[in-house]
Structures are given as C-alpha cells and as structure tokens.
Amino acid sequence: MKKLFTLVLFVFLGVQTGFSQSDQSAVNQESMQRTIMQLQHDVYEVQLNLHQAQRQLKNGILVSTIGYSVTILGGQLLGNNPELGRGLLYAGGAIGIAGTVVLVKGFNKISLGPPTKPKSWN
C-alpha cells in the first residue's frame, strides 16, 4: 500500500509539473508575441520617419541649390548690371538659407534622440 501511495504521489506531482510548464509556456509565447508586435510598431515608426525625412531633405536640397545658383548669377551680374546683381544676391541668399532650414528640419526628423534601454535588459 505504501508503494502504491508513493507511486500515485509521483504521478500526481509529474502531472502537476507538466501543467505548470505548459502554463509557463503559454505565458512565454504571449510575451514573445507582445515583444514582436512592439518591434513591428517600432520598425514602422522608423520607416515612416525616414520616408518623411527623405522627402523633406530632397526639397531642402532643391531649394538650397536654386537659391545658391541665383546668388552666383547675381554675383556674375554685379559687373554689368549692379542693381539687378545686388537684388539677385540678396534674393538668392535668402532662398538658400530657407533651403538650409528645410534641410535641418529634415535631419531633425531622422534624429529622434538616443534610444531608451528596454526594462527587460537590466
């Protein structure tokens, strides 16, 4: 009888351990799914920021190039037509600075700041 009781006790403990492991496995799988969803969300945000920054950087480069080209043209015209040349110098400089501001804003979209360390890495 003592042997039978010991055998039943071991079987009961084995079944109990198996259930607790399957519960723990379900919790680990749920945690893994949440982590994957968070990673997908983070990757989407990074891709969206890069896409928006790419458009803004291209526009900034275009505006800056036009502005500084007008500045060069104004400098060339200073000898022949000083009034027009001076006007083009000022206008081109202003356009070039505006393009540079657009570029800086585009770079600010890329740099979101230093990443935060996940709590699970401590």
Side-chain angles (χ1 to χ4, degrees), residues 3-34:
K3 289 182 182 181
L4 181 63
F5 178 73
T6 308
L7 180 64
V8 170
L9 182 65
F10 280 128
V11 168
F12 177 73
L13 288 175
V15 169
Q16 190 70 4
T17 305
F19 280 130
S20 67
Q21 286 177 352
S22 67
D23 290 344
Q24 196 173 27
S25 170
V27 169
N28 286 341
Q29 185 176 7
E30 185 177 315
S31 173
M32 179 92 62
Q33 286 176 343
R34 268 186 276 135

Side-chain angles (χ1 to χ4, degrees), residues 64-109:
S64 293
T65 302
I66 291 171
Y68 296 131
S69 297
V70 170
T71 303
I72 292 170
L73 180 63
Q76 293 293 321
L77 289 176
L78 277 177
N80 297 339
N81 192 348
E83 288 297 317
L84 179 62
R86 205 171 309 127
L88 287 175
L89 278 174
Y90 292 134
I95 294 170
I97 290 171
T100 303
V101 169
V102 173
L103 276 170
V104 169
K105 286 183 179 180
F107 281 115
N108 286 340
K109 282 187 179 178

Side-chain angles (χ1 to χ4, degrees), residues 108-122:
N108 286 340
K109 282 187 179 178
I110 292 174
S111 61
L112 302 173
T116 56
K117 189 174 180 181
K119 293 177 184 175
S120 62
W121 289 7
N122 291 334

